[in-house]
PDB file of all heavy atoms in Angstrom:
ATOM      1  N   ALA C   1       0.825  -1.212  -0.004  1.00 98.00           N
ATOM      2  CA  ALA C   1      -0.002   0.017   0.014  1.00 98.00           C
ATOM      3  C   ALA C   1       0.871   1.236   0.002  1.00 98.00           C
ATOM      4  O   ALA C   1       0.600   2.215  -0.722  1.00 98.00           O
ATOM      5  CB  ALA C   1      -0.920  -0.027   1.228  1.00 98.00           C
ATOM      6  N   PHE C   2       1.903   1.241   0.829  1.00 98.00           N
ATOM      7  CA  PHE C   2       2.764   2.419   0.916  1.00 98.00           C
ATOM      8  C   PHE C   2       3.524   2.714  -0.368  1.00 98.00           C
ATOM      9  O   PHE C   2       3.788   3.855  -0.706  1.00 98.00           O
ATOM     10  CB  PHE C   2       3.766   2.261   2.063  1.00 98.00           C
ATOM     11  CG  PHE C   2       3.176   2.181   3.446  1.00 98.00           C
ATOM     12  CD1 PHE C   2       3.916   1.704   4.513  1.00 98.00           C
ATOM     13  CD2 PHE C   2       1.855   2.539   3.680  1.00 98.00           C
ATOM     14  CE1 PHE C   2       3.376   1.624   5.765  1.00 98.00           C
ATOM     15  CE2 PHE C   2       1.301   2.458   4.962  1.00 98.00           C
ATOM     16  CZ  PHE C   2       2.079   1.988   5.991  1.00 98.00           C
ATOM     17  N   ALA C   3       3.907   1.653  -1.090  1.00 98.00           N
ATOM     18  CA  ALA C   3       4.658   1.798  -2.368  1.00 98.00           C
ATOM     19  C   ALA C   3       3.737   2.328  -3.478  1.00 98.00           C
ATOM     20  O   ALA C   3       4.206   3.027  -4.367  1.00 98.00           O
ATOM     21  CB  ALA C   3       5.268   0.478  -2.762  1.00 98.00           C
ATOM     22  N   ARG C   4       2.448   2.033  -3.392  1.00 98.00           N
ATOM     23  CA  ARG C   4       1.558   2.374  -4.487  1.00 98.00           C
ATOM     24  C   ARG C   4       0.826   3.706  -4.332  1.00 98.00           C
ATOM     25  O   ARG C   4       0.365   4.307  -5.291  1.00 98.00           O
ATOM     26  CB  ARG C   4       0.520   1.246  -4.663  1.00 98.00           C
ATOM     27  CG  ARG C   4       1.157  -0.062  -5.151  1.00 98.00           C
ATOM     28  CD  ARG C   4       0.134  -1.195  -5.120  1.00 98.00           C
ATOM     29  NE  ARG C   4       0.727  -2.440  -5.656  1.00 98.00           N
ATOM     30  CZ  ARG C   4       0.117  -3.618  -5.641  1.00 98.00           C
ATOM     31  NH1 ARG C   4      -1.092  -3.717  -5.117  1.00 98.00           N
ATOM     32  NH2 ARG C   4       0.744  -4.662  -6.156  1.00 98.00           N
ATOM     33  N   ILE C   5       0.625   4.122  -3.095  1.00 98.00           N
ATOM     34  CA  ILE C   5      -0.146   5.342  -2.808  1.00 98.00           C
ATOM     35  C   ILE C   5       0.807   6.456  -2.425  1.00 98.00           C
ATOM     36  O   ILE C   5       1.600   6.318  -1.507  1.00 98.00           O
ATOM     37  CB  ILE C   5      -1.197   5.076  -1.741  1.00 98.00           C
ATOM     38  CG1 ILE C   5      -2.198   4.015  -2.214  1.00 98.00           C
ATOM     39  CG2 ILE C   5      -1.891   6.354  -1.296  1.00 98.00           C
ATOM     40  CD1 ILE C   5      -3.168   3.548  -1.186  1.00 98.00           C
ATOM     41  N   PRO C   6       0.765   7.571  -3.109  1.00 98.00           N
ATOM     42  CA  PRO C   6       1.719   8.662  -2.855  1.00 98.00           C
ATOM     43  C   PRO C   6       1.586   9.248  -1.435  1.00 98.00           C
ATOM     44  O   PRO C   6       0.473   9.376  -0.904  1.00 98.00           O
ATOM     45  CB  PRO C   6       1.373   9.706  -3.923  1.00 98.00           C
ATOM     46  CG  PRO C   6       0.654   8.966  -4.968  1.00 98.00           C
ATOM     47  CD  PRO C   6      -0.125   7.863  -4.274  1.00 98.00           C
ATOM     48  N   ALA C   7       2.731   9.556  -0.841  1.00 98.00           N
ATOM     49  CA  ALA C   7       2.804  10.234   0.451  1.00 98.00           C
ATOM     50  C   ALA C   7       4.184  10.842   0.553  1.00 98.00           C
ATOM     51  O   ALA C   7       5.076  10.522  -0.178  1.00 98.00           O
ATOM     52  CB  ALA C   7       2.512   9.297   1.601  1.00 98.00           C
ATOM     53  N   ASP C   8       4.293  11.743   1.502  1.00 98.00           N
ATOM     54  CA  ASP C   8       5.573  12.414   1.758  1.00 98.00           C
ATOM     55  C   ASP C   8       6.462  11.653   2.723  1.00 98.00           C
ATOM     56  O   ASP C   8       7.712  11.689   2.559  1.00 98.00           O
ATOM     57  CB  ASP C   8       5.366  13.818   2.323  1.00 98.00           C
ATOM     58  CG  ASP C   8       4.513  14.682   1.420  1.00 98.00           C
ATOM     59  OD1 ASP C   8       4.879  14.821   0.228  1.00 98.00           O
ATOM     60  OD2 ASP C   8       3.484  15.246   1.888  1.00 98.00           O
ATOM     61  N   ASP C   9       5.843  10.967   3.686  1.00 98.00           N
ATOM     62  CA  ASP C   9       6.597  10.303   4.733  1.00 98.00           C
ATOM     63  C   ASP C   9       5.948   8.985   5.118  1.00 98.00           C
ATOM     64  O   ASP C   9       4.742   8.805   4.829  1.00 98.00           O
ATOM     65  CB  ASP C   9       6.677  11.156   6.001  1.00 98.00           C
ATOM     66  CG  ASP C   9       7.369  12.501   5.749  1.00 98.00           C
ATOM     67  OD1 ASP C   9       8.558  12.488   5.410  1.00 98.00           O
ATOM     68  OD2 ASP C   9       6.699  13.567   5.895  1.00 98.00           O
ATOM     69  N   CYS C  10       6.710   8.150   5.727  1.00 98.00           N
ATOM     70  CA  CYS C  10       6.233   6.813   6.100  1.00 98.00           C
ATOM     71  C   CYS C  10       6.796   6.498   7.511  1.00 98.00           C
ATOM     72  O   CYS C  10       7.997   6.601   7.766  1.00 98.00           O
ATOM     73  CB  CYS C  10       6.733   5.767   5.097  1.00 98.00           C
ATOM     74  SG  CYS C  10       6.210   4.073   5.454  1.00 98.00           S
ATOM     75  N   ILE C  11       5.882   6.129   8.434  1.00 98.00           N
ATOM     76  CA  ILE C  11       6.282   5.832   9.814  1.00 98.00           C
ATOM     77  C   ILE C  11       5.997   4.357  10.029  1.00 98.00           C
ATOM     78  O   ILE C  11       4.889   3.880   9.829  1.00 98.00           O
ATOM     79  CB  ILE C  11       5.487   6.670  10.824  1.00 98.00           C
ATOM     80  CG1 ILE C  11       5.771   8.176  10.589  1.00 98.00           C
ATOM     81  CG2 ILE C  11       5.840   6.245  12.241  1.00 98.00           C
ATOM     82  CD1 ILE C  11       4.804   9.050  11.354  1.00 98.00           C
ATOM     83  N   ILE C  12       7.029   3.604  10.444  1.00 98.00           N
ATOM     84  CA  ILE C  12       6.907   2.153  10.654  1.00 98.00           C
ATOM     85  C   ILE C  12       7.288   1.804  12.065  1.00 98.00           C
ATOM     86  O   ILE C  12       8.385   2.066  12.495  1.00 98.00           O
ATOM     87  CB  ILE C  12       7.784   1.415   9.655  1.00 98.00           C
ATOM     88  CG1 ILE C  12       7.329   1.696   8.227  1.00 98.00           C
ATOM     89  CG2 ILE C  12       7.743  -0.090   9.941  1.00 98.00           C
ATOM     90  CD1 ILE C  12       8.198   1.095   7.157  1.00 98.00           C
ATOM     91  N   GLU C  13       6.359   1.170  12.802  1.00 98.00           N
ATOM     92  CA  GLU C  13       6.618   0.754  14.158  1.00 98.00           C
ATOM     93  C   GLU C  13       7.063  -0.725  14.131  1.00 98.00           C
ATOM     94  O   GLU C  13       6.417  -1.552  13.490  1.00 98.00           O
ATOM     95  CB  GLU C  13       5.368   0.860  15.005  1.00 98.00           C
ATOM     96  CG  GLU C  13       5.555   0.355  16.437  1.00 98.00           C
ATOM     97  CD  GLU C  13       4.225   0.288  17.218  1.00 98.00           C
ATOM     98  OE1 GLU C  13       3.168   0.637  16.667  1.00 98.00           O
ATOM     99  OE2 GLU C  13       4.272  -0.163  18.371  1.00 98.00           O
ATOM    100  N   VAL C  14       8.153  -1.005  14.799  1.00 97.00           N
ATOM    101  CA  VAL C  14       8.615  -2.379  14.936  1.00 97.00           C
ATOM    102  C   VAL C  14       7.567  -3.182  15.697  1.00 97.00           C
ATOM    103  O   VAL C  14       6.947  -2.716  16.630  1.00 97.00           O
ATOM    104  CB  VAL C  14       9.969  -2.400  15.695  1.00 97.00           C
ATOM    105  CG1 VAL C  14      10.337  -3.838  16.118  1.00 97.00           C
ATOM    106  CG2 VAL C  14      11.079  -1.798  14.852  1.00 97.00           C
ATOM    107  N   GLY C  15       7.342  -4.434  15.264  1.00 94.00           N
ATOM    108  CA  GLY C  15       6.363  -5.279  15.950  1.00 94.00           C
ATOM    109  C   GLY C  15       6.936  -5.927  17.188  1.00 94.00           C
ATOM    110  O   GLY C  15       6.413  -5.808  18.301  1.00 94.00           O
ATOM    111  N   LEU C  16       8.053  -6.652  17.025  1.00 89.00           N
ATOM    112  CA  LEU C  16       8.609  -7.438  18.124  1.00 89.00           C
ATOM    113  C   LEU C  16      10.132  -7.443  18.008  1.00 89.00           C
ATOM    114  O   LEU C  16      10.672  -7.887  17.016  1.00 89.00           O
ATOM    115  CB  LEU C  16       8.081  -8.869  18.084  1.00 89.00           C
ATOM    116  CG  LEU C  16       8.524  -9.826  19.198  1.00 89.00           C
ATOM    117  CD1 LEU C  16       8.073  -9.332  20.582  1.00 89.00           C
ATOM    118  CD2 LEU C  16       7.958 -11.239  18.943  1.00 89.00           C
ATOM    119  N   GLY C  17      10.800  -6.897  19.000  1.00 90.00           N
ATOM    120  CA  GLY C  17      12.242  -6.860  18.996  1.00 90.00           C
ATOM    121  C   GLY C  17      12.750  -5.782  18.066  1.00 90.00           C
ATOM    122  O   GLY C  17      12.538  -4.595  18.291  1.00 90.00           O
ATOM    123  N   GLY C  18      13.398  -6.169  16.987  1.00 95.00           N
ATOM    124  CA  GLY C  18      13.949  -5.229  16.050  1.00 95.00           C
ATOM    125  C   GLY C  18      14.811  -5.934  15.004  1.00 95.00           C
ATOM    126  O   GLY C  18      14.533  -5.908  13.812  1.00 95.00           O
ATOM    127  N   ARG C  19      15.871  -6.559  15.478  1.00 95.00           N
ATOM    128  CA  ARG C  19      16.830  -7.213  14.594  1.00 95.00           C
ATOM    129  C   ARG C  19      16.198  -8.161  13.608  1.00 95.00           C
ATOM    130  O   ARG C  19      16.489  -8.150  12.407  1.00 95.00           O
ATOM    131  CB  ARG C  19      17.878  -7.953  15.470  1.00 95.00           C
ATOM    132  CG  ARG C  19      18.961  -8.659  14.720  1.00 95.00           C
ATOM    133  CD  ARG C  19      19.993  -9.236  15.706  1.00 95.00           C
ATOM    134  NE  ARG C  19      19.364 -10.228  16.574  1.00 95.00           N
ATOM    135  CZ  ARG C  19      19.494 -11.546  16.404  1.00 95.00           C
ATOM    136  NH1 ARG C  19      20.167 -12.050  15.375  1.00 95.00           N
ATOM    137  NH2 ARG C  19      18.924 -12.382  17.269  1.00 95.00           N
ATOM    138  N   LEU C  20      15.281  -9.020  14.079  1.00 94.00           N
ATOM    139  CA  LEU C  20      14.654 -10.056  13.269  1.00 94.00           C
ATOM    140  C   LEU C  20      13.183  -9.758  13.022  1.00 94.00           C
ATOM    141  O   LEU C  20      12.434 -10.650  12.570  1.00 94.00           O
ATOM    142  CB  LEU C  20      14.850 -11.430  13.895  1.00 94.00           C
ATOM    143  CG  LEU C  20      16.285 -11.870  14.059  1.00 94.00           C
ATOM    144  CD1 LEU C  20      16.367 -13.195  14.763  1.00 94.00           C
ATOM    145  CD2 LEU C  20      16.996 -11.962  12.733  1.00 94.00           C
ATOM    146  N   ASP C  21      12.733  -8.573  13.329  1.00 96.00           N
ATOM    147  CA  ASP C  21      11.309  -8.210  13.121  1.00 96.00           C
ATOM    148  C   ASP C  21      11.077  -8.008  11.630  1.00 96.00           C
ATOM    149  O   ASP C  21      11.941  -7.538  10.881  1.00 96.00           O
ATOM    150  CB  ASP C  21      10.999  -6.912  13.846  1.00 96.00           C
ATOM    151  CG  ASP C  21       9.563  -6.516  13.714  1.00 96.00           C
ATOM    152  OD1 ASP C  21       8.723  -7.126  14.379  1.00 96.00           O
ATOM    153  OD2 ASP C  21       9.278  -5.572  12.930  1.00 96.00           O
ATOM    154  N   ALA C  22       9.885  -8.369  11.150  1.00 96.00           N
ATOM    155  CA  ALA C  22       9.572  -8.321   9.716  1.00 96.00           C
ATOM    156  C   ALA C  22       9.750  -6.918   9.156  1.00 96.00           C
ATOM    157  O   ALA C  22      10.124  -6.758   7.984  1.00 96.00           O
ATOM    158  CB  ALA C  22       8.162  -8.819   9.476  1.00 96.00           C
ATOM    159  N   THR C  23       9.521  -5.879   9.967  1.00 98.00           N
ATOM    160  CA  THR C  23       9.717  -4.532   9.426  1.00 98.00           C
ATOM    161  C   THR C  23      11.125  -4.212   9.112  1.00 98.00           C
ATOM    162  O   THR C  23      11.435  -3.248   8.379  1.00 98.00           O
ATOM    163  CB  THR C  23       9.139  -3.482  10.399  1.00 98.00           C
ATOM    164  OG1 THR C  23       9.924  -3.481  11.611  1.00 98.00           O
ATOM    165  CG2 THR C  23       7.687  -3.743  10.748  1.00 98.00           C
ATOM    166  N   ASN C  24      12.065  -4.966   9.653  1.00 98.00           N
ATOM    167  CA  ASN C  24      13.497  -4.653   9.488  1.00 98.00           C
ATOM    168  C   ASN C  24      14.018  -5.044   8.117  1.00 98.00           C
ATOM    169  O   ASN C  24      15.220  -4.934   7.857  1.00 98.00           O
ATOM    170  CB  ASN C  24      14.324  -5.282  10.590  1.00 98.00           C
ATOM    171  CG  ASN C  24      15.595  -4.532  10.890  1.00 98.00           C
ATOM    172  OD1 ASN C  24      15.632  -3.305  10.741  1.00 98.00           O
ATOM    173  ND2 ASN C  24      16.651  -5.222  11.306  1.00 98.00           N
ATOM    174  N   ILE C  25      13.129  -5.476   7.243  1.00 98.00           N
ATOM    175  CA  ILE C  25      13.518  -5.771   5.850  1.00 98.00           C
ATOM    176  C   ILE C  25      13.716  -4.455   5.075  1.00 98.00           C
ATOM    177  O   ILE C  25      14.289  -4.470   3.990  1.00 98.00           O
ATOM    178  CB  ILE C  25      12.434  -6.640   5.183  1.00 98.00           C
ATOM    179  CG1 ILE C  25      12.943  -7.252   3.881  1.00 98.00           C
ATOM    180  CG2 ILE C  25      11.149  -5.838   4.950  1.00 98.00           C
ATOM    181  CD1 ILE C  25      14.019  -8.286   4.045  1.00 98.00           C
ATOM    182  N   ILE C  26      13.276  -3.348   5.620  1.00 98.00           N
ATOM    183  CA  ILE C  26      13.401  -2.091   4.898  1.00 98.00           C
ATOM    184  C   ILE C  26      14.886  -1.654   4.773  1.00 98.00           C
ATOM    185  O   ILE C  26      15.706  -2.048   5.595  1.00 98.00           O
ATOM    186  CB  ILE C  26      12.625  -0.927   5.583  1.00 98.00           C
ATOM    187  CG1 ILE C  26      13.159  -0.637   6.953  1.00 98.00           C
ATOM    188  CG2 ILE C  26      11.124  -1.255   5.629  1.00 98.00           C
ATOM    189  CD1 ILE C  26      12.560   0.568   7.622  1.00 98.00           C
ATOM    190  N   PRO C  27      15.227  -0.911   3.735  1.00 97.00           N
ATOM    191  CA  PRO C  27      16.600  -0.358   3.646  1.00 97.00           C
ATOM    192  C   PRO C  27      16.800   0.685   4.700  1.00 97.00           C
ATOM    193  O   PRO C  27      15.864   1.011   5.423  1.00 97.00           O
ATOM    194  CB  PRO C  27      16.618   0.198   2.235  1.00 97.00           C
ATOM    195  CG  PRO C  27      15.210   0.542   1.938  1.00 97.00           C
ATOM    196  CD  PRO C  27      14.368  -0.493   2.619  1.00 97.00           C
ATOM    197  N   PRO C  28      18.006   1.236   4.798  1.00 97.00           N
ATOM    198  CA  PRO C  28      18.248   2.262   5.830  1.00 97.00           C
ATOM    199  C   PRO C  28      17.201   3.373   5.757  1.00 97.00           C
ATOM    200  O   PRO C  28      16.996   4.002   4.715  1.00 97.00           O
ATOM    201  CB  PRO C  28      19.638   2.802   5.488  1.00 97.00           C
ATOM    202  CG  PRO C  28      20.354   1.618   4.893  1.00 97.00           C
ATOM    203  CD  PRO C  28      19.268   0.906   4.093  1.00 97.00           C
ATOM    204  N   PRO C  29      16.502   3.650   6.863  1.00 98.00           N
ATOM    205  CA  PRO C  29      15.492   4.689   6.857  1.00 98.00           C
ATOM    206  C   PRO C  29      16.139   6.066   6.978  1.00 98.00           C
ATOM    207  O   PRO C  29      17.340   6.200   7.184  1.00 98.00           O
ATOM    208  CB  PRO C  29      14.696   4.377   8.124  1.00 98.00           C
ATOM    209  CG  PRO C  29      15.684   3.768   9.066  1.00 98.00           C
ATOM    210  CD  PRO C  29      16.619   2.988   8.180  1.00 98.00           C
ATOM    211  N   ALA C  30      15.288   7.104   6.849  1.00 98.00           N
ATOM    212  CA  ALA C  30      15.800   8.457   7.059  1.00 98.00           C
ATOM    213  C   ALA C  30      16.330   8.609   8.488  1.00 98.00           C
ATOM    214  O   ALA C  30      17.363   9.233   8.737  1.00 98.00           O
ATOM    215  CB  ALA C  30      14.722   9.474   6.766  1.00 98.00           C
ATOM    216  N   VAL C  31      15.575   8.059   9.450  1.00 98.00           N
ATOM    217  CA  VAL C  31      15.911   8.108  10.882  1.00 98.00           C
ATOM    218  C   VAL C  31      15.384   6.898  11.569  1.00 98.00           C
ATOM    219  O   VAL C  31      14.299   6.416  11.215  1.00 98.00           O
ATOM    220  CB  VAL C  31      15.296   9.382  11.554  1.00 98.00           C
ATOM    221  CG1 VAL C  31      15.744   9.487  12.996  1.00 98.00           C
ATOM    222  CG2 VAL C  31      15.634  10.653  10.824  1.00 98.00           C
ATOM    223  N   ALA C  32      16.149   6.390  12.538  1.00 98.00           N
ATOM    224  CA  ALA C  32      15.636   5.329  13.431  1.00 98.00           C
ATOM    225  C   ALA C  32      15.469   5.941  14.807  1.00 98.00           C
ATOM    226  O   ALA C  32      16.187   6.873  15.210  1.00 98.00           O
ATOM    227  CB  ALA C  32      16.606   4.191  13.467  1.00 98.00           C
ATOM    228  N   GLY C  33      14.529   5.407  15.573  1.00 98.00           N
ATOM    229  CA  GLY C  33      14.325   5.843  16.956  1.00 98.00           C
ATOM    230  C   GLY C  33      14.109   4.650  17.864  1.00 98.00           C
ATOM    231  O   GLY C  33      13.492   3.672  17.458  1.00 98.00           O
TER     232      GLY C  33
END
């Protein structure tokens, strides 16, 4: 959905942990927190 629908920014919350969480497949983000 995020790839197909235009937006300026994207916020992704880690589900569980971080290192092996499914969201961690993304390339380096603008910022991590």
Side-chain angles (χ1 to χ4, degrees):
F2 295 165
R4 292 172 177 174
I5 296 174
D8 301 307
D9 299 297
C10 181
I11 300 168
I12 298 176
E13 178 189 359
V14 169
L16 181 62
R19 180 175 63 100
L20 299 176
D21 183 75
T23 65
N24 208 30
I25 195 69
I26 63 172
V31 184

